[in-house]
Amino acid sequence: MTENKKTQLRVGRLTKAHGLKGAIKLELFTDDPERRFVPGAVFSLQVPTSSPWHGKTLELAELRWYNSHPVGFFKGVSDRSAAEALVKAILWIDLEANDDSSDEEDAWYDHQLVGLRVERDGEQVGTVKLVEHFPAQDLLIVKTDSGEVMVPFVKEIVPSVDLVAGIVTVTPPAGLFEELPDEPEAPPAE
């Protein structure tokens, strides 16, 4: 008997009601909206426990683009007030744990990186706690013995990720993982 293990992948966030017919603007957390946001796609919702949508799913009826912004139309969301009740909801999809759907080199899902050992010069300096996504670049939040370190997830600082070995190799600039000694003050000029 094979275990069909699933994990969840965060793919978007509902940001603002759009129009009067229940449409909602989306912030996408996926590089593949054409595959993730197709009619019939079902999303688990991350909403406060006080929300009437808590514990429910949302099915996409249609995705449209207005002025280069994605706007979703969802089954059961037929007016503006229903759409406003969903603002700030995070959209998650179920993903097979062994789904290697990314053919892109140097592309990983967040859940594949969290928990990996972070090594510098062959020595472990911490573990990946979280991946944060920002417009300029992504950050790896690395848990170390002395706290958390934010590591820019760029090739120059993170030259390799080995999922099989469970290792993220870093070549950080001086001072990223350790305190630098204060520079001695220059003697006064005479």
Side-chain angles (χ1 to χ4, degrees):
M1 181 170 113
T2 59
E3 185 180 333
N4 193 10
K5 189 176 179 186
K6 290 186 183 225
T7 189
Q8 288 208 306
L9 180 65
R10 181 182 69 155
V11 293
R13 183 171 66 92
L14 303 174
T15 61
K16 183 178 178 183
H18 180 82
L20 301 175
K21 296 184 179 179
I24 309 170
K25 286 186 177 182
L26 290 156
E27 176 183 4
L28 301 179
F29 301 144
T30 176
D31 292 338
D32 199 358
E34 294 81 18
R35 190 174 72 141
R36 303 287 185 210
F37 288 88
V38 295
V42 177
F43 304 96
S44 298
L45 295 170
Q46 180 182 335
V47 293
T49 54
S50 60
S51 169
W53 288 95
H54 182 71
K56 296 184 179 177
T57 59
L58 200 57
E59 183 178 339
L60 184 70
E62 183 180 3
L63 181 70
R64 294 184 191 167
W65 294 84
Y66 293 97
N67 297 325
S68 74
H69 293 286
V71 175
F73 294 81
F74 298 92
K75 290 188 177 175
V77 182
S78 57
D79 60 27
R80 187 172 184 91
S81 62
E84 287 174 346
L86 283 161
V87 168
K88 295 186 181 176
I90 308 258
L91 302 177
W92 296 81
I93 60 166
D94 287 333
L95 183 72
E96 300 293 330
N98 60 358
D99 181 359
D100 187 20
S101 57
S102 175
D103 297 330
E104 187 179 344
E105 188 178 329
D106 292 340
W108 304 275
Y109 292 121
D110 293 2
H111 71 270
Q112 293 175 302
L113 299 170
V114 172
L116 295 185
R117 291 188 321 272
V118 178
E119 292 187 356
R120 174 178 61 188
D121 300 326
E123 297 291 321
Q124 183 170 347
V125 293
T127 57
V128 177
K129 178 182 176 185
L130 181 67
V131 181
E132 290 283 354
H133 302 279
F134 295 102
Q137 67 194 18
D138 296 335
L139 290 176
L140 295 178
I141 308 302
V142 178
K143 185 176 190 285
T144 70
D145 291 338
S146 58
E148 293 181 359
V149 176
M150 294 185 289
V151 178
F153 198 8
V154 295
K155 194 75 168 167
E156 295 78 20
I157 298 174
V158 184
S160 73
V161 173
D162 186 338
L163 294 178
V164 176
I167 297 171
V168 174
T169 302
V170 296
T171 56
L176 189 61
F177 281 94
E178 65 281 323
E179 291 288 323
L180 291 177
D182 290 335
E183 291 287 323
E185 289 187 29
E190 294 189 28

